């Protein structure tokens, strides 16, 4: 009888222990807001989600030993609705640009809470990524031609800040010398096609996407403003303090996503294209080697300054609720710990300003490419890898051979000799020097100046190819 009683007691104790443990096994939500079509956010959202990278880094020991994770993904086309969801407590982490991020922090503070900036995802210390485009048949060739014109822009976006700075640089009054209207990119595209607006300023990837789609030309790149811009990851401060290991896990997944696309940019450009509808050729403009922007997760001084510029510009727009200490808003402790756990040197990367490197041989000459001022690339349909060339001359010579052999060309890229950014070759301008050497430029004015200074001539894409036999 005593043994039976003891056995029953042990069974009951075991059951109670199981019930007690189950009751205390925490179910932790990780709700992440992405901007899939804002493709430079890919390493902080789309790629982590599609490659299922986050679970491999989530903590499973200590207080997380019995934790169950509920990973939730929500996609947005801009930062404002993403912020609304974060402030409402329906999202814990999000990705957006410098301007929307400042608005995010303001919105959090209005509810007595705070958000923090975790890391940069992708950006440009010179401002490239934002741009201004005009209808394809417009007679506008530079920002100077836009006085008195109607320009649309997604309001309070990072491209809005670029537009205001570009206008100020001309000495214009933004309320008198131009007409600025609010338009999202999905509205601006049709407006450009039908010539209902004179120009449109936008963020990644629309200043490249619209020209690629054949109904617009880029006449101003953010690199001309030389004002840094970036997209990054944010989190609810309360969530980060409660679950710092989860934030670090998310950033470890971001680091891996960055390493993967750096290693195989064509493969992951195709994946991003499949999920967003943004053509892989446009995605590669950003994520390929020597791309429009660099994927840099460290808090360079220029990106901190970009955040302060966003604060200052929003105040200029009359926002008296923007009271942010940028050094408190940016919290780099989590990305530093993520770097450390990944075996990476944060301090070393902080000093690295190089573009995503190109390590390749000239596809025609088979000589290693050692100078990148005139690099040209060709993506042949059916080929997994983009072909690289040291110069337009070797690229155009091979382009003629490829076409003669019946190959279809997806896209040709050049590097802008002045701005150091990747260009769609069919929309670039080309200038020769006195020796016939060809250089590519986004702006016709830059090509004209180069030709004048170096004793050459200016050509469009079709005529530049004819220079090479």
């Amino acid at each position: 009888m005593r043994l039976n009683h003891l056995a029953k007691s042990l069974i009951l104790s075991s059951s109670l222990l199981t019930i007690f443990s189950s009751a205390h096994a925490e179910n932790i939500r990780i709700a992440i807001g992405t901007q899939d079509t804002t493709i430079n956010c890919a390493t902080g959202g789309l790629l982590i989600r599609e490659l299922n990278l986050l679970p491999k880094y989530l903590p499973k020991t200590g207080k997380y030993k019995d934790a169950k994770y509920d990973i939730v993904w929500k996609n947005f086309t801009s930062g404002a609705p993403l912020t609304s969801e974060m402030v409402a407590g329906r999202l814990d982490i999000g990705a957006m640009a410098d301007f929307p991020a400042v608005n995010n922090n303001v919105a959090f503070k209005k509810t007595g809470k705070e958000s923090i900036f975790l890391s940069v995802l992708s950006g440009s210390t010179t401002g490239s990524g934002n741009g201004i485009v005009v209808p394809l048949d417009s007679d506008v060739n530079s920002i100077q031609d836009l006085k008195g014109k109607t320009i649309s822009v997604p309001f309070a976006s990072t491209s809005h800040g670029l537009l205001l700075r570009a206008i100020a640089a001309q000495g214009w009054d933004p309320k008198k010398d131009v007409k600025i209207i609010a338009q999202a990119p999905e509205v601006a595209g049709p407006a450009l096609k039908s010539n209902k607006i004179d120009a449109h300023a936008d963020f990644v990837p629309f200043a490249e996407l619209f020209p690629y789609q054949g109904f617009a030309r880029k006449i101003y790149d953010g690199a001309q403003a030389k004002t840094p811009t970036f997209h990054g990851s944010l989190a609810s401060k309360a969530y980060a303090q409660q679950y710092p290991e989860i934030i670090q896990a998310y950033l470890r997944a971001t680091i891996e996503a960055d390493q993967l696309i750096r290693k195989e940019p064509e493969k992951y450009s195709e994946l991003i294209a499949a999920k967003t509808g943004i053509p892989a050729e446009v995605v590669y403009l950003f994520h390929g080697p020597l791309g429009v922007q660099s994927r840099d997760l460290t808090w360079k001084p220029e990106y901190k300054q970009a955040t302060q510029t966003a604060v200052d510009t929003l105040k200029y727009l009359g926002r008296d609720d923007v009271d942010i200490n940028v050094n408190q808003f940016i919290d780099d402790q989590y990305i530093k710990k993520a770097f450390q756990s990944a075996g990476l040197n944060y301090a070393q990367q902080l000093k690295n300003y190089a573009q995503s490197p190109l390590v390749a041989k000239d596809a025609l000459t088979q000589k290693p490419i050692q100078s990148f001022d005139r690099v040209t690339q060709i993506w042949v349909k059916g080929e997994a890898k983009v072909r690289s060339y040291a110069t337009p001359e070797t690229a155009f010579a091979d382009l003629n051979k490829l076409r003669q052999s019946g190959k279809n060309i997806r896209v040709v890229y050049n590097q802008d000799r002045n701005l150091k950014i990747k260009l769609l070759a069919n929309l670039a301008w080309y200038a020769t020097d006195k020796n016939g050497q060809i250089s590519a430029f986004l702006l016709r004015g830059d090509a004209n100046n180069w030709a004048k200074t170096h004793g050459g001539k200016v050509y469009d894409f079709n005529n530049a190819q004819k220079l090479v036999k």
Side-chain angles (χ1 to χ4, degrees), residues 85-368:
E85 291 287 284
M86 287 186 73
V87 172
R90 290 187 285 269
L91 292 174
D92 309 305
I93 299 169
M96 61 188 71
D98 37 25
F99 273 72
V102 168
N103 282 320
N104 179 285
N105 189 261
V106 171
F108 262 84
K109 285 186 173 182
K110 286 180 177 178
T111 64
K113 299 180 288 186
E114 283 191 70
S115 61
I116 53 174
F117 232 153
L118 298 172
S119 76
V120 178
L121 290 171
S122 182
S124 168
T125 57
T126 61
S128 191
N130 296 314
I132 302 173
V133 298
V134 298
L136 190 63
D137 58 356
S138 171
D139 57 2
V140 172
N141 288 306
S142 70
I143 184 87
Q144 290 83 6
D145 299 330
L146 288 177
K147 191 170 185 178
K149 306 288 188 180
T150 298
I151 310 169
S152 74
V153 64
F155 196 80
S157 67
T158 183
S159 52
H160 191 182
L162 165 79
L163 178 61
L164 291 173
R165 290 192 296 273
I167 289 170
Q170 303 305 312
W172 299 346
D173 183 334
K175 296 179 181 179
K176 295 179 180 178
D177 293 315
V178 291
K179 181 181 180 181
I180 299 176
I181 62 173
Q183 273 188 342
E186 57 268 28
V187 177
L192 285 165
K193 287 180 182 178
S194 58
N195 289 289
K196 291 181 178 178
I197 53 176
D198 298 301
H200 176 69
D202 218 325
F203 47 82
V204 176
F206 298 99
E208 281 70 32
L209 176 62
F210 291 164
Y212 176 80
Q213 292 176 328
F215 60 82
R217 289 184 293 109
K218 185 161 70 167
I219 55 96
Y220 189 89
D221 186 87
Q224 293 171 251
K226 302 190 184 305
T227 303
T229 185
F230 71 97
H231 283 72
S233 296
L234 301 91
S236 158
K237 184 175 182 178
Y239 186 91
Q241 290 178 334
Q242 185 177 3
Y243 302 117
E245 296 86 357
I246 292 177
I247 296 297
Q248 289 165 37
Y250 163 75
L251 293 172
R252 280 295 308 275
T254 297
I255 289 170
E256 182 176 355
D258 181 80
Q259 291 171 333
L260 288 171
I261 199 168
R262 185 180 297 269
K263 185 177 181 181
E264 297 182 275
E266 296 93 343
K267 174 182 176 180
Y268 292 108
S269 291
E270 296 280 20
L271 173 60
I272 294 169
K275 297 300 176 180
T276 65
I278 307 295
E281 296 87 343
V282 175
V283 178
Y284 188 87
L285 265 173
F286 289 88
H287 288 298
L290 308 177
V292 173
Q293 292 190 330
S294 61
R295 292 180 316 283
D296 183 354
L297 309 183
T298 63
W299 279 109
K300 289 181 167 44
E302 290 84 353
Y303 295 138
K304 291 184 177 181
Q305 181 56 50
T307 309
Q308 184 62 55
T309 298
V311 172
D312 296 340
T313 305
L314 287 170
K315 287 182 178 179
Y316 170 78
L317 289 172
R319 290 284 300 277
D320 56 6
D321 58 348
V322 181
D323 183 21
I324 295 177
N325 183 324
V326 168
N327 290 323
Q328 292 178 358
F329 179 34
I330 293 172
D331 192 341
D332 61 7
Q333 62 170 309
Y334 300 98
I335 188 61
K336 285 181 176 179
K337 289 176 182 176
F339 262 67
Q340 185 177 19
S341 63
L344 301 174
N345 188 324
Y346 183 88
Q348 185 179 43
Q349 178 56 30
L350 188 61
K351 299 174 183 176
N352 181 9
Y353 282 77
Q355 292 174 290
S356 299
L358 173 67
V359 181
K361 292 180 179 179
D362 187 298
L364 185 66
T365 68
Q366 292 302 305
K367 294 180 180 179

Side-chain angles (χ1 to χ4, degrees), residues 381-434:
K381 188 173 183 178
E383 294 187 358
K385 297 291 184 181
V386 173
R387 300 184 181 208
S388 298
Y389 304 83
T391 68
E393 290 89 338
T394 55
F396 292 165
D398 210 21
L399 186 59
N400 290 331
K401 293 179 180 178
L402 288 167
R403 285 171 173 158
Q404 289 169 7
S405 66
K407 298 283 187 180
N408 292 318
I409 307 302
R410 293 181 62 169
V411 67
V412 181
Y413 304 107
N414 292 117
Q415 293 300 123
D416 188 297
R417 188 73 185 253
N418 283 351
L419 299 175
K420 313 299 182 187
I421 59 172
K422 193 181 293 294
L423 305 174
L424 294 167
N426 64 308
L427 298 175
W429 294 97
Y430 299 85
T432 57
D433 60 17
K434 61 184 179 182

Side-chain angles (χ1 to χ4, degrees), residues 396 425 427-433 436-441 444 447-448 451 456-467:
F396 292 165
L427 298 175
W429 294 97
Y430 299 85
T432 57
D433 60 17
Q437 188 180 80
I438 304 169
S439 296
F441 302 88
R444 183 167 190 167
N448 288 338
K457 294 182 179 180
V458 175
Y459 303 87
D460 62 14
F461 180 54
N462 289 331
N463 287 307
Q465 293 174 69
K466 296 175 184 177
L467 299 173

